[in-house]
Amino acid sequence: MVPIQIENLFFTYPSRTTPTLNRINIDISAGDFVLLTGPTGCGKTTLLRTINGLIPHASAGTQSGSVTVGNQNVTTQPMSKTCQQVGFLFQNPEYQLFCTTVADEIAFGLENIGVPADAISDRITLALDQVGLKGFEDRLITELSSGEKQRVALASIISMRPKVLLLDEPTSHLDPKATHNILAIVKNLNTEMGVTVVFTTHRVKQVEELCNRVVLMDKGQICLDLPKSSAFQDTKPFLRLGVETPNSDSVKEKQITNFAPSTELGNQLLSLTNIRYRYPESKMDAVKQLNCHISEGEIIAIMGANGSGKTTLLNLMGGLLRPTGGEVSIVGRDSKKLKLKHLAGTVGIVFQNPDLLLQAATVKDEITFGPKNLKLTIEDIQNRVEDAIDVFMLTEFADDVPHSLSRGQRQRTAVAAAASLKPKIFLLDEPTTGQDLQNLHRLMDELCQAIREGNRTLIFATHHRELTEQYADRILLLNNGKLIFDGKPATAFSDKAL
């Protein structure tokens, strides 16, 4: 059994003057299941990275203090040894999947730690069985849903039989069913196999029942560390930081009225007529014979299980993909005849992974890039940038390198950069990613208010039912690429057949 001991740990990223970890002291006993939570940017991911050795071995910065796992100093021990004890499941499985097939992916780690060739096949079979993917050995990684990819990544880790499992918001991209599957697997590893678990999340309700210990962080420090039985007796520390508790509503009690559903819609902005889309080399359509029309002033949620076609539909709406069949009309123009540069200022899109958008040296430069390329006046550019920085809570990070920020802060930077263009059509893929409740609701409040006031349109893809109920006045529900419902969220959620 492997305990974790951290003493007087400080860590500062190269572009930052304030430590991301500020005097961390914690002992984690063998077999613990620790729920690690806190507001966006509090240092949760950075702390996990020090435990598995990514910091300092694969990340620049200044570190002091000690981190030991199983009485071995992670800072000085080669990562090749640490990874045999400590498994790390990233928020986005794409970051740790490299091979073509499922079997090759799991075999990759086993080969690198020297597992005998005649034992690898048995370990692959066992790991896939443990994560509920029996028979997936020959499946192509590219054809899997997000939930299946996350389970393959987890299978790759548990096949190496680590004593410690670190999970960085592993369910943030997943639908409810896939989330349930991942949580059940992790709990079984903890209770049946004695694996020590440290699980970071903003969705406390999902994980609270599984853990035996709760750790709350803020501004790089641990501000609460208690057994689960007493951690939530006083919820004030959580509420002060905007962090969910088991008994709190994930939707704000008071509905904002500034963006109440429009009674009169404006001009039609998007028209999708009998569209279908098939990815190259795929045998099935990702979107099938879909029809819908979207007007100015609407706020629309796209929902559906992992792999149902939500992101594909957003990319078709934004002109990033051309339909295999049918027609997508964007502000009256056929998307097949449009170049992406013609859509600048008309369509803004923020991907599920904000790192695909971020390229500038500072947050301010990132937000300035779009308006500057629209050839606006210097005064207009300055006003748009200052407004976006203020509205999306980025003032203290304006001069920071975007990639030095937390996942949630990078997401807000990407949203601010797109919002500064004031697009007629704003497309947002999974806005909840990396956001604590306080930041998520402020982001959506500000965005929806700007959309209403400017008579523009917001379309966001999400698994978050409460977010849809609070902010959307229309829902597009997908199942296996088909649009099975188009109407009011209350109607959709009250229909048990859906």
Side-chain angles (χ1 to χ4, degrees), residues 262-281:
S262 297
T263 55
E264 295 183 8
L265 299 178
N267 297 323
Q268 185 170 281
L269 292 178
L270 275 171
S271 177
L272 288 73
T273 307
N274 292 325
I275 65 162
R276 65 183 185 86
Y277 183 79
R278 180 175 297 186
Y279 286 98
E281 301 182 7

Side-chain angles (χ1 to χ4, degrees), residues 135-368:
F136 270 59
E137 285 87 346
D138 297 326
R139 291 281 297 273
L140 296 176
I141 296 292
T142 54
E143 294 182 352
L144 303 179
S145 71
S146 296
E148 289 167 343
K149 287 178 180 178
Q150 192 71 295
R151 282 191 278 169
V152 169
L154 184 54
S156 300
I157 294 168
I158 64 178
S159 69
M160 294 190 286
R161 300 175 181 172
K163 300 298 183 183
V164 176
L165 180 59
L166 311 175
L167 304 103
D168 190 12
E169 296 194 52
T171 63
S172 62
H173 292 168
L174 304 183
D175 61 53
K177 181 178 180 180
T179 294
H180 174 79
N181 290 338
I182 289 292
L183 294 179
I185 294 163
V186 173
K187 182 58 178 176
N188 183 67
L189 291 171
N190 176 249
T191 57
E192 301 299 324
M193 302 179 66
V195 174
T196 303
V197 174
V198 183
F199 194 118
T200 76
T201 186
H202 291 296
R203 299 186 181 182
V204 171
K205 288 182 182 180
Q206 289 182 345
V207 185
E208 176 264 339
E209 291 185 359
L210 311 181
C211 73
N212 69 317
R213 183 173 172 187
V214 177
V215 174
L216 178 66
M217 290 186 65
D218 182 36
K219 297 179 180 178
Q221 297 182 321
I222 293 173
C223 53
L224 181 147
D225 180 3
L226 291 171
K228 181 182 67 173
S229 58
S230 57
F232 299 109
Q233 289 181 359
D234 180 4
T235 59
K236 289 193 290 292
F238 297 89
L239 299 178
R240 176 178 59 84
L241 298 173
V243 175
E244 184 179 84
T245 65
N247 297 318
S248 66
D249 290 332
S250 56
V251 180
K252 294 180 301 180
E253 294 180 2
K254 185 177 180 180
Q255 187 80 14
I256 301 298
T257 57
N258 292 348
F259 43 85
S262 297
T263 55
E264 295 183 8
L265 299 178
N267 297 323
Q268 185 170 281
L269 292 178
L270 275 171
S271 177
L272 288 73
T273 307
N274 292 325
I275 65 162
R276 65 183 185 86
Y277 183 79
R278 180 175 297 186
Y279 286 98
E281 301 182 7
S282 176
K283 298 178 182 179
M284 297 177 60
D285 288 343
V287 171
K288 304 169 184 176
Q289 300 300 319
L290 189 146
N291 292 274
C292 73
H293 307 286
I294 296 169
S295 301
E296 293 175 335
E298 292 194 87
I299 296 178
I300 298 173
I302 302 176
M303 297 192 75
N306 289 119
S308 63
K310 298 186 300 297
T311 296
T312 302
L313 180 56
L314 277 183
N315 288 335
L316 286 164
M317 290 175 166
L320 296 180
L321 295 176
R322 305 295 199 271
T324 306
E327 181 180 303
V328 176
S329 175
I330 303 173
V331 195
R333 295 178 290 178
D334 186 345
S335 67
K336 291 181 179 178
K337 300 177 182 179
L338 289 172
K339 293 183 178 179
L340 289 179
K341 64 180 181 180
H342 295 149
L343 296 173
T346 300
V347 177
I349 186 165
V350 178
F351 301 123
Q352 193 175 63
N353 181 359
D355 296 339
L356 298 175
L357 294 169
L358 303 178
Q359 42 75 40
T362 68
V363 168
K364 185 175 182 179
D365 290 344
E366 193 71 57
I367 299 170
T368 303

Side-chain angles (χ1 to χ4, degrees), residues 61 75 82 86 99-100 123 213 225 247 307 368 400 438 448 455:
T75 305
T82 303
V86 183
C99 298
T100 304
R123 287 216 194 182
R213 183 173 172 187
D225 180 3
N247 297 318
T368 303
D400 289 347
Q438 184 168 284
C448 290
N455 199 30

